[in-house]
């Protein structure tokens, strides 16, 4: 058939623009086309070989066609001019493989009535897809169908890439933080996405809660292994498989800050690599805009601590894995919940202060119910390091400017081993800081859970319905009064209980005159129907207030 013949010196024109492999059809997808199905295709060598991408369809019967290939072609042939000797046939298949051929489609009937065994063996040894057509078809029809599929895919990819580029450019212009960009990437790709720094620490992630423990356990080891596999593929000229992690560097102006990682997921019209690269560009521009400020670290750590306090983890294992993946050691470490109030604390200063004690720290947002400025943090120290009062003072001095030191109060939970106990320590520190007025005098002022057994008790029982019921029953009239009149009876009661037997000091702490203070006390006694001088009543009210404050109310 003359329309299927090609002189050895003629080769098919190919598109000048080369798109990422993932935008091109695979051999498997090509042989599924209706035009190819008309030839009754049979796969003789397949499996992973069918996942090779097809950049163009080349038609040739020439024995010297290998020198005309650039790689990525699917060769369509009748084999009429192929070598006759088995050794030459084996060499011919090897030359095609070395030229980067994606696959070989041989039509039976015109020259070959069956495929020589040496061709099948050589293709299998080389991992080259081999497909035969049992029915004669017009090669021009196959060429049009395959090329139409390729060009349509590239057109769709161009359109999709423009949409993705516009989306992430808008994120850059709005100054979107790193975690939001990662969230948008995960939504766009329909797959988990992780941003890590150069130390293989997770900066931000968008991962289903159910996968956190499995994915982030031993994250550094898993990430390093994935990087090695990606580097090996790059050196061998291969493309990522469907089960491989997709890794793209975040870099600009010769500076590399980290990597974006996308876990396996569905194909995207723009190409998964192209989408991830747009996200990397947005992140790199953001880092350039941040200058020397490590906004990545501050956002990541703040969200982690806030999520821990709010219970936004699927379980203890997932929380521990995610926190360790962020670079905070848990195993064999002494863990402390710490709240610093009275001065602003930058996330980078928190970690730097912890490193001075040979530890690490994650700083979160100001806890609800604690007067601003304040910050909550989870501190991890080597097991042998003692976090005594001197160490706490040194830690506080490294956290804030000297001019702010006198205003600073540091609340420290008990030492913890493991994430569950660490969460309790965090709540203890927050409970100590909530609703407490700063003492006069030079700072920093220290509060430790070891010295506040009642705070420890409330923290341990904070979710017990009986404790909550006690708090509501004791304080309900005062709560209703304050809510309806924007009153201050709860604050007055707290000041009185903080200064038992010294109502002058309590009035001063309430910033009220003694006469007004006494009026408030009389109103409280009237609403509660109780005597505030009774010791048991004071204890019950103190416990109820601690329960309410522990909830940040």
């Amino acid at each position: 058939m003359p329309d299927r013949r090609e002189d050895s010196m003629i080769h098919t024109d190919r598109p000048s623009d080369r798109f990422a492999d993932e935008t091109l059809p695979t051999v498997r997808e090509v042989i599924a086309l209706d035009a190819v199905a008309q030839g009754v295709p049979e796969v003789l060598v397949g499996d992973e070989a069918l996942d090779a991408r097809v950049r163009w369809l080349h038609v040739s019967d020439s024995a010297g066609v290998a020198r005309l290939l650039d790689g990525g072609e699917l060769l369509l042939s009748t084999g009429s001019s192929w070598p006759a000797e088995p050794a030459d046939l084996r060499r011919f298949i090897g030359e095609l493989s070395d030229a980067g051929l994606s696959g070989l489609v041989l039509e039976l009937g015109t020259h070959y009535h069956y495929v020589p065994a040496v061709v099948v063996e050589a293709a299998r040894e080389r991992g080259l897809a081999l497909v035969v057509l049992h029915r004669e078809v017009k090669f021009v029809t196959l060429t049009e169908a395959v090329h139409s599929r390729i060009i349509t895919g590239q057109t769709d990819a161009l359109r999709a890439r423009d949409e993705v580029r516009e989306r992430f450019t808008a994120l850059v212009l709005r100054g979107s933080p790193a975690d939001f960009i990662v969230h948008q990437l995960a939504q766009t790709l329909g797959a988990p996405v992780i941003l890590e720094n150069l130390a293989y620490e997770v900066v931000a992630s968008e991962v289903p809660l159910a996968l956190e423990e499995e994915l982030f356990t031993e994250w550094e080891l898993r990430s390093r292994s994935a990087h090695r596999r990606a580097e090996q593929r790059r050196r061998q000229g291969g493309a990522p498989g469907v089960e491989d992690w997709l890794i793209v560097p975040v870099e600009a102006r010769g500076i590399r800050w980290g990597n974006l990682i996308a876990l396996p997921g569905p194909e995207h019209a723009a190409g998964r690599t192209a989408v991830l690269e747009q996200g990397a560009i947005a992140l790199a521009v953001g880092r350039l805009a941040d200058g020397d400020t490590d906004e990545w670290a501050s956002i990541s750590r703040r969200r982690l601590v806030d999520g821990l306090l709010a219970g936004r983890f699927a379980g203890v294992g997932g929380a521990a894995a995610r926190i360790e993946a962020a670079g905070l050691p848990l195993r064999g470490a002494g863990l402390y919940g710490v709240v610093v109030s009275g001065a602003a604390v930058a996330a980078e200063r928190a970690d730097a202060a912890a490193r001075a004690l040979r530890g690490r720290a994650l700083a979160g947002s100001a806890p609800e119910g604690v007067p601003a400025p304040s910050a909550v943090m989870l501190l991890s120290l080597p097991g042998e390091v003692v976090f005594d009062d001197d160490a706490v003072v040194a830690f506080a001095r490294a956290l804030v400017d000297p001019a702010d030191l006198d205003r600073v109060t540091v609340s420290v939970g008990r030492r913890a081993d493991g994430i569950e106990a660490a969460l309790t320590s965090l709540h203890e520190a927050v409970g100590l800081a909530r609703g407490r007025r700063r003492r006069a005098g030079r700072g920093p002022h220290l509060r430790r859970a070891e010295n506040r057994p009642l705070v420890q008790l409330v923290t341990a029982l904070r979710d017990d319905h009986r404790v909550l019921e006690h708090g509501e029953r004791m304080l309900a009239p005062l709560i209703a009064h304050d809510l309806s009149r924007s009153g201050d009876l709860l604050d007055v009661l707290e000041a009185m209980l903080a200064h038992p037997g010294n109502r002058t000091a309590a009035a001063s702490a309430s910033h009220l005159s003694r006469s007004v203070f006494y009026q408030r006390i009389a109103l409280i006694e009237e609403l509660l129907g109780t005597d505030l001088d009774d010791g048991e009543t004071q204890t019950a009210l103190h416990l109820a207030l601690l329960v309410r404050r522990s909830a940040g109310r």
Side-chain angles (χ1 to χ4, degrees):
M1 298 176 63
D3 59 327
R4 285 181 268 169
R5 299 293 178 263
E6 172 182 307
D7 185 83
S8 61
M9 295 303 293
I10 301 175
H11 64 276
T12 307
D13 291 335
R14 302 175 179 85
S16 57
D17 294 328
R18 299 199 176 181
F19 292 86
D21 285 348
E22 56 194 298
T23 68
L24 300 172
T26 62
V27 175
R28 192 188 311 274
E29 292 169 337
V30 167
I31 61 177
L33 294 174
D34 290 341
V36 180
Q38 296 298 318
V40 189
E42 179 187 0
V43 177
L44 300 185
V45 178
D47 298 328
E48 293 182 1
L50 294 178
D51 294 325
R53 301 284 177 171
V54 177
R55 187 173 57 81
W56 207 242
L57 184 65
H58 192 95
V59 180
S60 175
D61 288 330
S62 170
V65 66
R67 69 177 183 272
L68 304 176
L69 303 176
D70 288 339
E73 295 92 346
L74 180 65
L75 180 62
L76 182 60
S77 178
T78 65
S80 60
S81 298
W82 286 8
E85 295 297 323
D88 294 334
L89 270 177
R90 181 179 294 274
R91 186 182 308 108
F92 172 67
I93 298 299
E95 290 173 350
L96 294 179
S97 177
D98 292 339
L101 193 72
S102 294
L104 176 60
V105 178
L106 178 64
E107 184 189 78
L108 300 180
T110 301
H111 180 72
Y112 286 110
H113 294 284
Y114 62 89
V115 182
V118 67
V119 172
V120 178
E121 292 173 4
R124 185 170 291 114
E125 290 171 1
R126 291 286 192 145
L128 180 67
L130 176 60
V131 180
V132 295
L133 301 178
H134 290 282
R135 182 180 297 167
E136 184 179 76
V137 293
K138 291 184 178 181
F139 279 14
V140 66
T141 302
L142 297 187
T143 302
E144 288 176 348
V146 174
H147 290 175
S148 175
R149 167 66 177 81
I150 293 171
I151 293 172
T152 299
Q154 292 177 345
T155 302
D156 292 344
L158 277 174
R159 187 179 300 111
R161 286 177 181 179
D162 285 340
E163 293 175 355
V164 170
R165 187 180 300 111
E166 289 177 3
R167 179 185 309 173
F168 285 96
T169 298
L171 293 179
V172 171
L173 294 177
R174 289 200 298 264
S176 299
D179 58 335
F180 186 72
I181 293 176
V182 169
H183 170 74
Q184 291 296 310
L185 278 171
Q187 284 197 327
T188 303
L189 290 173
V193 175
I194 299 97
L195 172 64
E196 65 176 12
N197 61 21
L198 295 180
Y200 301 94
E201 296 173 351
V202 175
V203 174
S205 65
E206 189 69 23
V207 176
L209 293 179
L211 294 180
E212 284 190 334
E213 183 173 2
E214 177 185 355
L215 177 62
F216 291 124
T217 298
E218 302 291 346
W219 169 261
E220 181 179 355
L221 178 62
R222 293 165 63 87
S223 179
R224 287 182 182 273
S225 298
H227 279 270
R228 282 196 298 270
R229 291 193 296 270
E231 180 62 20
Q232 290 172 356
R233 287 195 304 270
R234 187 189 65 79
R235 291 177 178 175
Q236 296 168 0
V242 292
E243 296 302 320
D244 290 324
W245 290 7
L246 189 61
I247 303 175
V248 169
V250 180
E251 57 188 356
R253 295 182 180 176
I255 303 173
R256 184 169 181 171
W257 293 283
N259 300 284
L260 269 174
I261 300 173
L263 271 58
E267 296 291 337
H268 192 280
R272 299 181 78 238
T273 301
V275 173
L276 207 59
E277 286 174 345
Q278 285 299 317
I281 291 171
L283 289 167
V285 172
R287 281 308 303 257
L288 289 174
D290 292 339
D292 295 332
T293 303
D294 191 356
E295 192 66 22
W296 281 11
S298 62
I299 291 175
S300 167
R301 293 162 184 162
R302 183 173 67 248
R303 295 293 172 88
L304 273 179
V305 177
D306 295 350
L308 192 62
L309 283 170
R312 291 195 294 269
F313 288 94
V316 173
R322 177 64 181 87
I323 288 171
E324 285 199 310
L328 189 83
L330 296 180
R331 286 168 288 184
L335 305 172
Y336 298 87
V338 179
V339 174
V340 177
S341 51
V345 177
E348 57 270 20
R349 292 192 67 168
D351 198 43
R355 289 179 186 272
L357 297 174
R358 297 165 43 215
R360 298 293 302 274
L362 300 179
S365 305
E368 185 179 358
V370 177
S374 61
V376 60
M377 60 193 72
L378 179 60
L379 177 64
S380 171
L381 297 175
E384 67 277 10
V385 173
V386 177
F387 198 47
D388 55 17
D389 288 355
D390 290 339
V392 175
V393 171
F395 183 65
R397 291 182 183 277
L399 287 174
V400 301
D401 295 330
D404 296 328
L405 201 58
D406 285 346
R407 298 194 297 269
V408 166
T409 298
V410 184
S411 303
V412 183
R414 287 173 294 171
R415 176 193 167 102
D417 298 305
I419 189 63
E420 287 185 280
L423 181 57
T424 299
S425 182
L426 273 172
H427 281 290
E428 286 176 349
V430 173
L432 285 170
R434 277 174 175 157
R436 301 293 296 175
R437 291 173 171 80
R438 182 179 62 83
R439 299 197 315 268
R442 298 186 61 82
H445 305 285
L446 306 186
R447 296 177 184 150
R448 306 196 69 124
E450 296 95 314
N451 304 328
R452 300 291 304 282
L454 196 54
V455 170
Q456 295 180 35
L457 176 64
V458 170
T459 300
L461 301 176
R462 65 183 180 273
D463 296 323
D464 190 294
H465 69 92
R466 291 165 297 184
V467 174
L468 296 174
E469 182 184 2
H470 165 78
E472 177 64 24
R473 184 176 65 253
M474 293 295 298
L475 300 176
L478 305 186
I479 295 171
H481 177 277
D482 284 356
L483 289 176
S484 62
R485 295 175 173 81
S486 298
D488 60 354
L489 295 188
L490 287 175
D491 291 338
V492 169
L493 176 62
E494 184 176 19
M496 192 210 78
L497 295 175
H499 299 84
N502 190 345
R503 294 196 174 183
T504 299
S508 177
S510 299
H511 304 288
L512 299 173
S513 67
R514 289 187 61 183
S515 61
V516 173
F517 180 79
Y518 278 105
Q519 291 174 10
R520 296 284 202 280
I521 292 297
L523 179 57
I524 291 172
E525 289 180 327
E526 179 184 345
L527 290 172
L528 296 181
T530 188
D531 180 9
L532 293 184
D533 289 326
D534 179 71
E536 185 174 344
T537 300
Q538 289 183 1
T539 301
L541 289 171
H542 190 190
L543 178 62
L545 273 173
L546 285 175
V547 171
R548 184 169 177 81
R549 298 307 192 195
S550 71
R553 301 169 67 186

